[in-house]
Coordinates of all heavy atoms in Angstrom, one line a residue:
M1 N 141.7 -57.6 -35.7 CA 140.2 -57.2 -35.8 C 140.1 -55.9 -35.1 O 140.6 -55.6 -34.1 CB 139.5 -58.3 -35.0 CG 138.0 -58.1 -35.0 SD 137.2 -59.5 -34.2 CE 135.6 -58.8 -33.9
D2 N 139.3 -55.0 -35.8 CA 139.1 -53.7 -35.3 C 138.1 -53.7 -34.2 O 137.1 -54.5 -34.2 CB 138.6 -52.8 -36.4 CG 139.6 -52.5 -37.5 OD1 140.8 -52.6 -37.1 OD2 139.3 -52.2 -38.6
I3 N 138.3 -52.8 -33.2 CA 137.4 -52.7 -32.1 C 136.4 -51.6 -32.5 O 136.8 -50.5 -32.9 CB 138.1 -52.3 -30.8 CG1 139.1 -53.4 -30.5 CG2 137.1 -52.0 -29.7 CD1 140.0 -53.1 -29.3
Q4 N 135.1 -51.9 -32.4 CA 134.2 -50.8 -32.7 C 134.0 -49.9 -31.5 O 133.7 -50.3 -30.4 CB 132.8 -51.5 -33.0 CG 131.8 -50.4 -33.4 CD 130.5 -51.1 -33.9 OE1 130.3 -52.3 -33.8 NE2 129.6 -50.3 -34.4
H5 N 134.3 -48.6 -31.7 CA 134.1 -47.6 -30.7 C 132.7 -47.1 -30.7 O 132.1 -46.8 -31.7 CB 135.1 -46.5 -30.9 CG 136.5 -46.9 -30.9 ND1 137.2 -47.1 -29.7 CD2 137.4 -47.2 -31.9 CE1 138.5 -47.5 -30.0 NE2 138.6 -47.5 -31.3
D6 N 132.2 -46.9 -29.5 CA 130.9 -46.3 -29.5 C 131.1 -44.8 -29.1 O 132.1 -44.4 -28.6 CB 129.9 -46.9 -28.5 CG 130.4 -46.7 -27.0 OD1 130.4 -45.6 -26.6 OD2 130.7 -47.8 -26.4
L7 N 130.1 -44.0 -29.5 CA 130.2 -42.6 -29.3 C 129.9 -42.1 -27.9 O 130.1 -40.9 -27.6 CB 129.2 -41.9 -30.3 CG 129.5 -42.1 -31.7 CD1 128.4 -41.5 -32.6 CD2 130.8 -41.6 -32.1
F8 N 129.5 -43.1 -27.0 CA 129.2 -42.6 -25.6 C 130.3 -42.9 -24.6 O 130.2 -42.4 -23.5 CB 127.9 -43.3 -25.2 CG 126.7 -43.1 -26.2 CD1 126.4 -44.1 -27.1 CD2 126.1 -41.9 -26.2 CE1 125.4 -43.9 -28.0 CE2 125.0 -41.7 -27.1 CZ 124.7 -42.7 -28.0
G9 N 131.3 -43.6 -25.0 CA 132.3 -44.0 -24.1 C 133.3 -42.8 -23.8 O 133.6 -42.5 -22.6
A10 N 133.8 -42.2 -24.8 CA 134.8 -41.2 -24.6 C 134.2 -39.8 -25.0 O 133.3 -39.8 -25.9 CB 136.0 -41.5 -25.3
A11 N 134.7 -38.8 -24.3 CA 134.2 -37.5 -24.7 C 134.8 -37.1 -26.1 O 135.9 -37.4 -26.4 CB 134.7 -36.4 -23.7
L12 N 133.9 -36.6 -26.9 CA 134.3 -36.2 -28.2 C 135.0 -34.8 -28.2 O 134.8 -34.0 -27.3 CB 133.1 -36.1 -29.2 CG 132.4 -37.4 -29.4 CD1 131.1 -37.1 -30.2 CD2 133.2 -38.4 -30.1
A13 N 135.9 -34.7 -29.1 CA 136.6 -33.4 -29.2 C 135.6 -32.3 -29.6 O 134.7 -32.6 -30.3 CB 137.7 -33.5 -30.2
P14 N 135.8 -31.1 -29.0 CA 134.8 -30.1 -29.3 C 134.9 -29.7 -30.8 O 136.0 -29.8 -31.4 CB 135.3 -28.9 -28.5 CG 136.7 -29.2 -28.1 CD 136.8 -30.7 -28.1
I15 N 133.8 -29.4 -31.4 CA 133.7 -29.0 -32.8 C 134.2 -27.6 -32.9 O 133.8 -26.7 -32.3 CB 132.3 -29.2 -33.3 CG1 131.8 -30.6 -33.2 CG2 132.2 -28.6 -34.7 CD1 130.3 -30.8 -33.5
V16 N 135.2 -27.5 -33.8 CA 135.8 -26.2 -34.1 C 135.3 -25.8 -35.5 O 135.5 -26.5 -36.4 CB 137.3 -26.3 -34.0 CG1 137.9 -24.9 -34.3 CG2 137.8 -26.7 -32.6
D17 N 134.7 -24.6 -35.5 CA 134.3 -24.1 -36.8 C 135.5 -23.7 -37.6 O 136.3 -22.9 -37.2 CB 133.3 -22.9 -36.6 CG 132.0 -23.3 -36.1 OD1 131.6 -24.5 -36.3 OD2 131.3 -22.5 -35.5
D18 N 135.5 -24.2 -38.8 CA 136.6 -23.8 -39.8 C 136.1 -22.5 -40.4 O 135.0 -22.4 -40.8 CB 136.8 -24.8 -40.9 CG 137.4 -26.1 -40.3 OD1 138.2 -26.0 -39.4 OD2 137.2 -27.2 -40.9
P19 N 137.0 -21.6 -40.5 CA 136.6 -20.3 -41.1 C 136.4 -20.6 -42.6 O 137.1 -21.3 -43.3 CB 137.8 -19.4 -40.9 CG 138.9 -20.3 -40.6 CD 138.4 -21.5 -40.0
I20 N 135.2 -20.1 -43.1 CA 134.9 -20.3 -44.5 C 135.5 -19.1 -45.3 O 135.2 -18.0 -45.0 CB 133.4 -20.3 -44.7 CG1 132.8 -21.5 -44.0 CG2 133.1 -20.4 -46.2 CD1 131.3 -21.5 -44.0
T21 N 136.4 -19.5 -46.2 CA 137.0 -18.4 -47.0 C 136.4 -18.4 -48.4 O 136.2 -19.4 -49.0 CB 138.5 -18.7 -47.1 OG1 138.7 -20.0 -47.6 CG2 139.2 -18.5 -45.8
E22 N 136.0 -17.2 -48.8 CA 135.4 -17.1 -50.1 C 136.5 -17.2 -51.1 O 137.6 -16.6 -51.0 CB 134.7 -15.7 -50.2 CG 133.5 -15.5 -49.3 CD 132.3 -16.3 -49.8 OE1 132.2 -16.5 -51.0 OE2 131.5 -16.6 -49.0
P23 N 136.3 -17.9 -52.2 CA 137.3 -17.9 -53.3 C 137.4 -16.6 -53.9 O 136.4 -15.9 -54.1 CB 136.8 -19.0 -54.2 CG 135.3 -19.1 -53.9 CD 135.1 -18.7 -52.5
A24 N 138.6 -16.2 -54.3 CA 138.8 -14.9 -54.9 C 138.1 -15.0 -56.3 O 138.2 -15.9 -57.0 CB 140.3 -14.7 -55.1
L25 N 137.3 -13.9 -56.5 CA 136.6 -13.8 -57.8 C 137.6 -13.3 -58.9 O 138.2 -12.2 -58.6 CB 135.4 -13.0 -57.7 CG 134.3 -13.5 -56.8 CD1 133.2 -12.5 -56.6 CD2 133.7 -14.8 -57.3
L26 N 137.7 -14.0 -59.9 CA 138.6 -13.6 -61.0 C 138.0 -12.4 -61.7 O 136.8 -12.3 -61.9 CB 138.9 -14.7 -62.0 CG 139.6 -15.9 -61.4 CD1 139.7 -17.0 -62.4 CD2 141.0 -15.5 -60.9
P27 N 138.9 -11.4 -62.1 CA 138.3 -10.3 -62.9 C 137.8 -10.7 -64.3 O 138.2 -11.8 -64.7 CB 139.5 -9.4 -63.0 CG 140.7 -10.2 -62.8 CD 140.3 -11.4 -62.0
L28 N 137.0 -9.9 -64.8 CA 136.5 -10.1 -66.2 C 136.8 -8.9 -67.0 O 136.7 -7.8 -66.6 CB 134.9 -10.3 -66.1 CG 134.2 -10.7 -67.4 CD1 134.7 -12.1 -67.8 CD2 132.7 -10.7 -67.2
A29 N 137.4 -9.2 -68.2 CA 137.8 -8.1 -69.0 C 136.7 -7.7 -70.0 O 136.0 -8.5 -70.5 CB 139.1 -8.5 -69.8
A30 N 136.7 -6.4 -70.3 CA 135.7 -5.9 -71.3 C 136.6 -5.2 -72.4 O 137.5 -4.5 -72.1 CB 134.8 -4.8 -70.7
P31 N 136.4 -5.5 -73.6 CA 135.3 -6.3 -74.2 C 135.6 -7.7 -74.4 O 134.7 -8.5 -74.7 CB 135.1 -5.6 -75.6 CG 136.5 -5.3 -76.0 CD 137.2 -4.9 -74.7
C32 N 136.8 -8.2 -74.1 CA 137.2 -9.5 -74.5 C 136.7 -10.6 -73.6 O 136.4 -11.7 -74.0 CB 138.7 -9.6 -74.7 SG 139.6 -9.7 -73.2
G33 N 136.5 -10.3 -72.3 CA 136.2 -11.4 -71.4 C 137.2 -12.5 -71.3 O 136.9 -13.6 -70.9
F34 N 138.5 -12.1 -71.6 CA 139.6 -13.0 -71.6 C 139.5 -14.1 -72.7 O 140.2 -15.1 -72.6 CB 139.9 -13.6 -70.3 CG 140.3 -12.6 -69.2 CD1 139.7 -12.5 -68.0 CD2 141.4 -11.7 -69.5 CE1 140.1 -11.5 -67.1 CE2 141.8 -10.8 -68.6 CZ 141.1 -10.7 -67.4
R35 N 138.7 -13.9 -73.7 CA 138.6 -14.8 -74.8 C 138.6 -13.9 -76.1 O 137.9 -12.9 -76.1 CB 137.3 -15.6 -74.8 CG 137.0 -16.4 -73.5 CD 138.0 -17.5 -73.2 NE 137.8 -18.6 -74.1 CZ 138.4 -19.8 -74.0 NH1 139.3 -19.9 -73.0 NH2 138.2 -20.8 -74.8
N36 N 139.4 -14.3 -77.1 CA 139.4 -13.5 -78.3 C 138.2 -13.9 -79.2 O 137.4 -14.7 -78.8 CB 140.7 -13.6 -79.0 CG 141.0 -14.9 -79.6 OD1 140.1 -15.8 -79.6 ND2 142.2 -15.1 -80.1
R37 N 138.2 -13.3 -80.4 CA 137.0 -13.5 -81.3 C 137.0 -15.0 -81.8 O 135.9 -15.4 -82.3 CB 137.1 -12.6 -82.4 CG 138.3 -12.7 -83.3 CD 138.3 -11.7 -84.4 NE 139.7 -11.8 -85.0 CZ 139.9 -11.3 -86.2 NH1 139.0 -10.7 -86.9 NH2 141.1 -11.4 -86.7
K38 N 138.1 -15.7 -81.7 CA 138.1 -17.1 -82.0 C 137.7 -18.0 -80.8 O 137.9 -19.2 -80.8 CB 139.4 -17.5 -82.6 CG 139.8 -16.8 -83.8 CD 141.2 -17.2 -84.2 CE 141.7 -16.3 -85.4 NZ 143.1 -16.5 -85.7
N39 N 137.3 -17.3 -79.7 CA 137.0 -18.0 -78.5 C 138.2 -18.8 -77.9 O 138.0 -19.8 -77.2 CB 135.8 -18.9 -78.6 CG 135.1 -19.2 -77.2 OD1 135.2 -18.3 -76.4 ND2 134.5 -20.3 -77.1
A40 N 139.4 -18.3 -78.2 CA 140.6 -18.8 -77.6 C 141.1 -17.9 -76.5 O 140.7 -16.7 -76.5 CB 141.7 -19.0 -78.7
P41 N 141.8 -18.4 -75.5 CA 142.3 -17.5 -74.5 C 143.1 -16.3 -75.1 O 144.0 -16.5 -75.9 CB 143.2 -18.3 -73.6 CG 142.8 -19.7 -73.9 CD 142.3 -19.7 -75.3
C42 N 142.7 -15.1 -74.7 CA 143.3 -13.9 -75.3 C 144.6 -13.6 -74.7 O 145.1 -14.4 -73.8 CB 142.3 -12.7 -75.2 SG 142.3 -12.0 -73.5
Q43 N 145.2 -12.5 -75.1 CA 146.5 -12.1 -74.5 C 146.5 -11.5 -73.1 O 147.5 -11.2 -72.6 CB 147.2 -11.1 -75.5 CG 147.3 -11.6 -76.9 CD 147.7 -10.5 -77.8 OE1 148.7 -9.8 -77.7 NE2 146.9 -10.3 -78.8
R44 N 145.3 -11.4 -72.6 CA 145.1 -10.8 -71.3 C 145.8 -9.5 -71.1 O 146.6 -9.3 -70.2 CB 145.5 -11.8 -70.2 CG 144.6 -13.0 -70.2 CD 144.8 -13.9 -69.0 NE 143.9 -15.0 -69.0 CZ 142.9 -15.1 -68.1 NH1 142.8 -14.2 -67.2 NH2 142.0 -16.1 -68.2
L45 N 145.5 -8.6 -71.9 CA 146.1 -7.2 -71.9 C 145.3 -6.3 -70.9 O 145.7 -5.2 -70.7 CB 146.1 -6.6 -73.3 CG 147.0 -7.4 -74.3 CD1 146.9 -6.7 -75.6 CD2 148.4 -7.5 -73.8
A46 N 144.2 -6.8 -70.3 CA 143.4 -6.0 -69.4 C 144.2 -5.7 -68.1 O 144.8 -6.7 -67.5 CB 142.1 -6.7 -69.1
Y47 N 144.2 -4.5 -67.7 CA 144.8 -4.2 -66.4 C 144.2 -3.0 -65.7 O 144.3 -2.9 -64.5 CB 146.3 -3.9 -66.6 CG 146.6 -2.7 -67.5 CD1 146.9 -1.5 -67.0 CD2 146.7 -2.9 -68.9 CE1 147.2 -0.4 -67.8 CE2 147.0 -1.8 -69.7 CZ 147.2 -0.6 -69.1 OH 147.5 0.5 -70.0
R48 N 143.5 -2.1 -66.5 CA 142.9 -0.9 -65.8 C 141.5 -1.2 -65.4 O 140.7 -1.8 -66.1 CB 142.9 0.3 -66.8 CG 144.3 0.9 -67.0 CD 144.2 2.1 -67.8 NE 143.7 1.8 -69.2 CZ 142.6 2.4 -69.7 NH1 142.0 3.4 -69.1 NH2 142.2 2.1 -70.9
P49 N 141.1 -0.8 -64.2 CA 139.8 -1.1 -63.7 C 138.8 -0.3 -64.6 O 139.1 0.8 -65.0 CB 139.7 -0.6 -62.3 CG 141.1 -0.2 -61.9 CD 142.0 -0.2 -63.1
L50 N 137.6 -0.9 -64.8 CA 136.6 -0.2 -65.6 C 135.8 0.6 -64.6 O 135.2 0.1 -63.6 CB 135.7 -1.3 -66.3 CG 134.8 -0.9 -67.4 CD1 135.6 -0.3 -68.5 CD2 134.0 -2.1 -67.9
R51 N 135.7 1.9 -64.8 CA 135.0 2.8 -63.9 C 133.9 3.6 -64.6 O 133.9 3.8 -65.7 CB 136.0 3.8 -63.3 CG 137.1 3.2 -62.5 CD 138.0 4.3 -62.0 NE 139.2 3.7 -61.4 CZ 139.3 3.3 -60.1 NH1 138.2 3.5 -59.3 NH2 140.4 2.8 -59.6
C52 N 132.9 3.9 -63.8 CA 131.8 4.7 -64.2 C 131.5 5.7 -63.1 O 131.2 5.3 -62.0 CB 130.6 3.9 -64.6 SG 129.2 4.9 -65.2
D53 N 131.6 7.0 -63.3 CA 131.4 8.0 -62.3 C 132.4 7.7 -61.1 O 132.0 7.9 -59.9 CB 130.0 8.1 -61.8 CG 129.1 8.6 -62.9 OD1 129.5 9.3 -63.8 OD2 127.9 8.2 -62.9
G54 N 133.6 7.3 -61.4 CA 134.5 7.1 -60.3 C 134.3 5.7 -59.6 O 135.1 5.4 -58.7
K55 N 133.3 5.0 -59.9 CA 133.0 3.8 -59.2 C 133.5 2.6 -60.0 O 133.2 2.5 -61.2 CB 131.5 3.6 -59.0 CG 131.1 2.4 -58.1 CD 129.6 2.4 -57.9 CE 129.2 1.1 -57.2 NZ 127.7 1.0 -57.2
H56 N 134.2 1.7 -59.4 CA 134.7 0.5 -60.1 C 133.6 -0.5 -60.4 O 132.9 -0.9 -59.5 CB 135.8 -0.2 -59.2 CG 136.6 -1.2 -59.9 ND1 137.6 -1.9 -59.3 CD2 136.5 -1.7 -61.2 CE1 138.1 -2.8 -60.2 NE2 137.4 -2.7 -61.3
L57 N 133.4 -0.8 -61.6 CA 132.3 -1.6 -62.0 C 132.6 -3.1 -61.8 O 133.7 -3.5 -62.0 CB 131.9 -1.4 -63.5 CG 131.5 0.0 -63.9 CD1 131.2 0.1 -65.4 CD2 130.3 0.5 -63.1
T58 N 131.6 -3.8 -61.5 CA 131.7 -5.3 -61.3 C 130.6 -6.0 -62.0 O 129.6 -5.4 -62.4 CB 131.6 -5.7 -59.8 OG1 130.3 -5.2 -59.3 CG2 132.7 -5.0 -59.0
S59 N 130.8 -7.3 -62.3 CA 129.8 -8.1 -62.9 C 129.6 -9.4 -62.0 O 130.6 -10.2 -61.9 CB 130.1 -8.5 -64.3 OG 129.2 -9.5 -64.8
N60 N 128.5 -9.5 -61.3 CA 128.3 -10.6 -60.4 C 129.4 -10.7 -59.4 O 129.9 -11.8 -59.1 CB 128.1 -11.9 -61.2 CG 126.9 -12.0 -62.0 OD1 125.8 -11.4 -61.6 ND2 126.9 -12.5 -63.2
G61 N 129.9 -9.6 -58.9 CA 130.9 -9.6 -57.9 C 132.3 -9.6 -58.5 O 133.3 -9.5 -57.8
R62 N 132.5 -9.9 -59.8 CA 133.8 -9.9 -60.4 C 134.2 -8.5 -60.9 O 133.4 -7.9 -61.6 CB 133.8 -10.9 -61.6 CG 133.4 -12.3 -61.2 CD 133.1 -13.2 -62.4 NE 134.4 -13.4 -63.2 CZ 134.4 -14.1 -64.3 NH1 133.3 -14.7 -64.7 NH2 135.6 -14.2 -64.9
P63 N 135.4 -8.1 -60.5 CA 135.8 -6.8 -61.0 C 136.0 -6.7 -62.5 O 136.4 -7.7 -63.1 CB 137.1 -6.5 -60.3 CG 137.6 -7.9 -59.8 CD 136.3 -8.7 -59.7
L64 N 135.5 -5.7 -63.1 CA 135.7 -5.5 -64.6 C 136.9 -4.7 -64.9 O 137.2 -3.7 -64.2 CB 134.5 -4.8 -65.2 CG 133.2 -5.6 -65.2 CD1 132.0 -4.8 -65.7 CD2 133.3 -6.9 -66.0
L65 N 137.7 -5.2 -65.9 CA 138.9 -4.5 -66.3 C 138.8 -4.1 -67.8 O 138.1 -4.7 -68.5 CB 140.1 -5.4 -66.2 CG 140.4 -6.0 -64.8 CD1 141.5 -7.0 -64.9 CD2 140.7 -4.9 -63.8
H66 N 139.5 -3.0 -68.1 CA 139.6 -2.6 -69.5 C 140.5 -3.5 -70.3 O 141.6 -3.9 -69.8 CB 140.2 -1.2 -69.6 CG 139.2 -0.1 -69.6 ND1 138.2 0.1 -70.5 CD2 139.0 0.9 -68.7 CE1 137.5 1.2 -70.2 NE2 138.0 1.6 -69.1
C67 N 140.1 -4.0 -71.4 CA 141.1 -4.7 -72.3 C 141.1 -3.9 -73.6 O 140.1 -3.4 -74.1 CB 140.6 -6.1 -72.5 SG 142.0 -7.2 -72.9
V68 N 142.2 -3.9 -74.3 CA 142.3 -3.2 -75.5 C 141.6 -4.0 -76.6 O 141.6 -5.2 -76.5 CB 143.8 -2.9 -75.9 CG1 144.4 -1.9 -74.9 CG2 144.6 -4.1 -76.0
M69 N 141.1 -3.3 -77.6 CA 140.3 -4.0 -78.7 C 141.3 -4.9 -79.4 O 140.8 -6.0 -79.9 CB 139.7 -2.9 -79.6 CG 138.5 -3.4 -80.3 SD 137.2 -3.9 -79.2 CE 136.2 -4.9 -80.3
E70 N 142.5 -4.6 -79.5 CA 143.5 -5.5 -80.2 C 143.5 -6.9 -79.6 O 143.9 -7.8 -80.2 CB 144.9 -4.9 -80.3 CG 145.0 -3.6 -81.2 CD 144.4 -2.4 -80.5 OE1 144.2 -2.4 -79.3 OE2 144.1 -1.4 -81.2
C71 N 143.3 -6.9 -78.3 CA 143.3 -8.2 -77.6 C 142.2 -9.1 -78.1 O 142.4 -10.3 -78.3 CB 143.1 -7.9 -76.1 SG 143.4 -9.4 -75.1
F72 N 141.0 -8.5 -78.3 CA 139.9 -9.3 -78.8 C 140.1 -9.6 -80.3 O 139.8 -10.8 -80.7 CB 138.6 -8.5 -78.7 CG 137.4 -9.2 -79.1 CD1 136.8 -10.2 -78.4 CD2 136.8 -8.9 -80.3 CE1 135.7 -10.8 -78.8 CE2 135.7 -9.5 -80.8 CZ 135.1 -10.5 -80.0
N73 N 140.6 -8.7 -81.1 CA 140.7 -8.9 -82.5 C 142.0 -9.6 -82.9 O 142.2 -10.2 -84.0 CB 140.7 -7.6 -83.3 CG 139.3 -7.0 -83.2 OD1 138.3 -7.7 -83.2 ND2 139.3 -5.6 -83.2
G74 N 143.0 -9.6 -82.0 CA 144.3 -10.1 -82.4 C 144.5 -11.6 -82.1 O 143.6 -12.3 -81.8
P75 N 145.8 -12.0 -82.2 CA 146.0 -13.4 -82.0 C 145.9 -13.8 -80.5 O 145.9 -13.0 -79.7 CB 147.5 -13.6 -82.4 CG 148.1 -12.2 -82.3 CD 147.0 -11.2 -82.5
S76 N 145.7 -15.1 -80.3 CA 145.5 -15.6 -78.9 C 146.9 -15.7 -78.3 O 147.9 -15.6 -78.9 CB 144.8 -16.9 -78.9 OG 145.6 -17.9 -79.5
A77 N 146.9 -16.0 -77.0 CA 148.1 -16.2 -76.3 C 148.9 -17.4 -76.9 O 150.1 -17.4 -77.0 CB 147.8 -16.4 -74.8
E78 N 148.1 -18.5 -77.3 CA 148.8 -19.6 -77.9 C 149.4 -19.3 -79.2 O 150.5 -19.8 -79.5 CB 147.8 -20.8 -78.0 CG 147.4 -21.5 -76.7 CD 146.3 -20.9 -76.0 OE1 145.6 -20.0 -76.6 OE2 146.0 -21.2 -74.9
D79 N 148.6 -18.5 -80.0 CA 149.2 -18.1 -81.3 C 150.5 -17.4 -81.1 O 151.5 -17.6 -81.9 CB 148.2 -17.2 -82.1 CG 146.9 -17.9 -82.5 OD1 147.0 -19.2 -82.5 OD2 145.9 -17.3 -82.7
L80 N 150.6 -16.5 -80.2 CA 151.8 -15.7 -79.9 C 152.9 -16.6 -79.5 O 154.1 -16.5 -79.9 CB 151.5 -14.6 -78.9 CG 150.7 -13.5 -79.4 CD1 150.5 -12.5 -78.2 CD2 151.3 -12.8 -80.5
A81 N 152.6 -17.6 -78.7 CA 153.6 -18.6 -78.2 C 154.2 -19.4 -79.4 O 155.4 -19.6 -79.5 CB 153.0 -19.5 -77.2
V82 N 153.3 -19.8 -80.3 CA 153.8 -20.5 -81.5 C 154.6 -19.6 -82.4 O 155.7 -20.0 -82.8 CB 152.6 -21.1 -82.3 CG1 153.0 -21.6 -83.6 CG2 151.9 -22.1 -81.5
Q83 N 154.2 -18.4 -82.6 CA 155.0 -17.4 -83.4 C 156.3 -17.2 -82.8 O 157.3 -17.1 -83.5 CB 154.2 -16.1 -83.5 CG 153.0 -16.2 -84.4 CD 152.2 -14.9 -84.4 OE1 152.6 -13.9 -83.9 NE2 151.0 -15.0 -85.0
L84 N 156.4 -17.0 -81.4 CA 157.6 -16.8 -80.8 C 158.5 -18.0 -80.9 O 159.8 -17.8 -81.1 CB 157.4 -16.5 -79.3 CG 158.6 -16.2 -78.4 CD1 159.3 -14.9 -78.9 CD2 158.2 -16.0 -77.0
E85 N 158.0 -19.2 -80.8 CA 158.8 -20.4 -80.9 C 159.4 -20.5 -82.3 O 160.6 -20.8 -82.5 CB 157.9 -21.6 -80.7 CG 158.6 -22.9 -80.5 CD 159.5 -23.0 -79.3 OE1 159.1 -22.4 -78.3 OE2 160.5 -23.7 -79.3
K86 N 158.6 -20.1 -83.3 CA 159.1 -20.2 -84.7 C 160.2 -19.1 -84.9 O 161.2 -19.4 -85.6 CB 158.0 -19.9 -85.7 CG 157.1 -21.1 -85.9 CD 156.0 -20.7 -86.9 CE 155.0 -21.9 -87.0 NZ 153.8 -21.6 -87.9
A87 N 160.1 -18.0 -84.3 CA 161.0 -16.9 -84.5 C 162.3 -17.2 -83.8 O 163.4 -16.9 -84.3 CB 160.5 -15.6 -83.9
I88 N 162.3 -17.9 -82.6 CA 163.5 -18.2 -81.8 C 164.2 -19.4 -82.4 O 165.4 -19.3 -82.6 CB 163.1 -18.4 -80.4 CG1 162.7 -17.1 -79.7 CG2 164.3 -19.0 -79.6 CD1 162.2 -17.3 -78.3
G89 N 163.5 -20.4 -82.7 CA 164.2 -21.7 -83.1 C 163.6 -22.1 -84.4 O 163.9 -22.8 -85.2
Ligands
ZN1 ZN1 141.7 -9.6 -73.7

């Protein structure tokens, strides 16, 4: 049988504030937004920061990256994996 502890008998441990860590905001690619025209995950070719007057542009706190137009128009990452699988085996 469990003993019910009351809160007034023993001193409680001091409350320690846990540091709140902000989750890292994932970048967003322009123009693809990491989705190709079929709304499938794109090849994620974005790597250069999108800048205007030397300032790195963001969208709702997310850094914007350049993605090549072929990424948006081209096959998705899954399509490339299937093509690679066919080519190898
Ligand atoms: Zn892309």
Side-chain angles (χ1 to χ4, degrees):
M1 182 174 163
D2 291 334
I3 300 172
Q4 183 175 7
H5 298 279
D6 66 63
L7 296 175
F8 304 101
L12 297 175
I15 297 173
V16 178
D17 288 335
D18 290 330
I20 298 173
T21 54
E22 294 285 333
L25 294 173
L26 295 175
L28 188 65
C32 72
F34 293 127
R35 310 291 287 184
N36 69 6
R37 63 186 170 159
K38 297 175 188 169
N39 202 28
C42 77
Q43 302 168 57
R44 292 188 176 250
L45 299 176
Y47 61 95
R48 287 184 298 127
L50 197 60
R51 296 179 189 274
C52 182
D53 294 332
K55 184 180 175 187
H56 191 175
L57 298 180
T58 60
S59 173
N60 295 322
R62 298 169 67 178
L64 290 175
L65 302 176
H66 271 295
C67 205
V68 295
M69 205 60 198
E70 291 78 17
C71 191
F72 181 77
N73 291 329
S76 68
E78 284 89 8
D79 292 341
L80 289 177
V82 169
Q83 290 174 7
L84 181 64
E85 189 70 29
K86 287 180 181 175
I88 292 174

